[in-house]
Amino acid sequence: MNVLVTGGTGYIGSHTCVSLLQAGHSVVIVDNLSNSSRETLEQIESITGEEVMFYENDVTDEKTMDEIFTHHSFDGVIHFAGFKAVGESVNLPSKYYRNNLLSTIVLADLCLKHNVEKFVFSSSATVYGENASPMVESMELLPTTNPYGETKAMSERILSDISKANPNFHVSLLRYFNPVGAHESGLIGESPNGIPNNLMPYVTQVAKGIREKLSVFGDDYDTVDGSGVRDYVHVMDLAEGHIAALEHLEEGVRVYNLGTGKGTSVLELVEAFEQVNQVPVPYDIVQRRPGDLATCFADASKAENELGWTAKRGIQDMCRDAWNYQSRSSQEALSENER
Ligand SMILES: NC(=O)c1ccc[n+]([C@@H]2O[C@H](COP(=O)([O-])OP(=O)(O)OC[C@H]3O[C@@H](n4cnc5c(N)ncnc54)[C@H](O)[C@@H]3O)[C@@H](O)[C@H]2O)c1
């Protein structure tokens, strides 16, 4: 297949491009580099030995996107492009609604115009809101606590409505749990700008001495050791989940959880990281963060039954690969003010 990957130089997009190319598909990336760099493109090419067509372009710009759709004949679109910082979305909601919703609508309309029938969308477990775990695809979605989460729930509805009205437009909504880790080469991985929002990049930065200590938000939840429990999934497993979703997408709207089905607590993850990599990760227990759930993990059986996809890599692999990537990076320790 010839696949348009939006946000393809980002964290999950870059790993998915590697998997697509290695599975024999061709890839065209569109990314405005608002949260990634051109260097990633070279790394994708160096891992795969394949050339990748790249457009530095904003997906919300319908005119230039139309030209790209006219120039290439796509068999499918994987739409990763979007903003993802939960806290920022609370302070700058219109930035999130504009980018995340408009990009989805522009792409869906261009798919209809250019007869592109397969659309895979990056959704999130956040759409389950405060449902109890394990989260199952058939659950009624509950309100999320922030505009970012709302853009995911709304995008799911928009794409479902467009598919219902256009029987040749097939959509796979992939609800990611907690993607972590990096490609085993250490050439691509997660390198957030500023203070990491997610646990693993924070852990790797503390281990490298870039930040002083990890803050563990709460140790009094009703969980195995009091810290929050999440379903961490290796980014290469996640990447392979996209190929399975794309290759199985034949009609209508499909919804799949991409997780391992197992919960790991923050403290368990820190301990696994220290053991696997033999590096200390100093931490402090601080107050709970508003809006955080005690426990969130997937029922991962639907993706296994319908797509033949399961996560193969475990917590040790995730910790090893995340550290391998961070150890190779040239990022330096931060000054007192930057921490
Ligand atoms: N990483 C996670 O924990 C997680 C969890 C659930 C869902 N998701 C979703 O998965 C997708 C990919 O996440 P990621 O972690 O790789 O994020 P990322 O920020 O690393 O990648 C997103 C990419 O999209 C690009 N981009 C943003 N807006 C754009 C626009 N208008 N036009 C063109 N390019 C644009 C950015 O430059 C970046 O390269 C996002 O939609 C995110 O919301 C991520």
Side-chain angles (χ1 to χ4, degrees):
M1 281 189 248
N2 188 23
V3 186
L4 168 64
V5 181
T6 74
T9 45
Y11 172 46
I12 306 170
S14 57
H15 292 79
T16 304
C17 286
V18 167
S19 288
L20 282 164
L21 292 162
Q22 289 179 337
H25 300 294
S26 49
V27 164
V28 175
I29 295 178
V30 175
D31 200 302
N32 63 4
L33 303 181
S34 58
N35 197 35
S36 54
S37 73
R38 226 169 236 282
E39 217 177 83
T40 306
L41 203 63
E42 290 155 28
Q43 309 293 31
I44 295 170
E45 292 182 337
S46 115
I47 292 169
T48 60
E50 303 280 340
E51 229 171 277
V52 178
M53 177 70 80
F54 175 70
Y55 293 93
E56 184 177 343
N57 196 63
D58 198 298
V59 178
T60 62
D61 181 345
E62 188 155 9
K63 190 170 166 290
T64 51
M65 288 306 296
D66 193 15
E67 286 163 16
I68 294 169
F69 270 76
T70 304
H71 190 73
H72 298 274
S73 178
F74 297 123
D75 300 298
V77 172
I78 307 184
H79 179 32
F80 293 103
F83 296 144
K84 63 168 182 177
V86 170
E88 187 188 49
S89 81
V90 174
N91 297 324
L92 300 171
S94 62
K95 175 178 171 180
Y96 276 69
Y97 286 116
R98 180 185 292 273
N99 193 43
N100 293 5
L101 299 184
L102 200 53
S103 60
T104 302
I105 295 169
V106 163
L107 282 171
D109 279 348
L110 288 173
C111 285
L112 299 182
K113 180 174 173 188
H114 294 272
N115 300 315
V116 181
E117 298 192 345
K118 295 174 197 284
F119 194 103
V120 176
F121 177 66
S122 294
S123 189
S124 164
T126 192
V127 298
Y128 289 112
E130 292 190 357
N131 271 297
S133 288
M135 309 289 190
V136 187
E137 290 87 342
S138 55
M139 279 173 165
E140 193 185 330
L141 302 188
L142 298 178
T144 66
T145 52
N146 56 79
Y148 165 73
E150 290 307 300
T151 68
K152 291 298 171 190
M154 285 181 197
S155 292
E156 286 201 3
R157 283 202 296 279
I158 291 168
L159 290 167
S160 302
D161 288 346
I162 296 175
S163 177
K164 261 181 238 148
N166 298 276
N168 287 333
F169 182 61
H170 315 313
V171 177
S172 197
L173 304 172
L174 303 182
R175 295 178 181 159
Y176 311 154
F177 280 69
N178 293 72
V180 295
H183 187 264
E184 59 180 12
S185 64
L187 292 175
I188 53 173
E190 188 175 15
S191 46
N193 295 327
I195 300 171
N197 294 299
N198 295 333
L199 176 63
M200 187 64 98
Y202 214 110
V203 167
T204 59
Q205 291 192 10
V206 170
K208 192 148 183 213
I210 296 168
R211 294 180 191 278
E212 203 178 353
K213 266 185 191 168
L214 172 72
S215 297
V216 176
F217 298 107
D219 67 347
D220 54 356
Y221 287 108
D222 184 15
T223 60
V224 58
D225 53 24
S227 64
V229 166
R230 296 290 178 272
D231 186 339
Y232 297 99
V233 55
H234 196 293
V235 67
M236 285 310 296
D237 279 323
L238 199 67
E240 288 158 15
H242 289 74
I243 320 287
L246 192 66
E247 291 179 349
H248 283 79
L249 188 51
E250 260 141 35
E251 64 172 316
V253 180
R254 304 289 171 91
V255 188
Y256 298 105
N257 287 339
L258 294 184
T260 62
K262 286 183 220 93
T264 303
S265 77
V266 173
L267 296 178
E268 286 172 337
L269 185 112
V270 170
E271 197 186 326
F273 188 94
E274 290 183 323
Q275 272 181 6
V276 171
N277 299 313
Q278 293 295 303
V279 278
V281 180
Y283 65 84
D284 277 335
I285 307 285
V286 299
Q287 280 200 331
R288 291 180 179 194
R289 259 188 324 199
D292 274 355
L293 297 178
T295 300
C296 175
F297 62 92
D299 177 324
S301 55
K302 190 173 174 209
E304 179 171 10
N305 295 336
E306 294 188 13
L307 305 177
W309 175 88
T310 47
K312 296 189 207 86
R313 298 158 179 93
I315 287 288
Q316 274 75 14
D317 304 309
M318 301 178 208
C319 292
R320 187 199 55 228
D321 293 339
W323 179 234
N324 181 35
Y325 174 70
Q326 180 70 69
S327 317
R328 296 168 67 112
S329 120
S330 53
Q331 206 172 359
E332 299 292 341
L334 297 175
S335 68
E336 197 78 2
N337 296 344
E338 290 171 309
R339 278 181 185 150

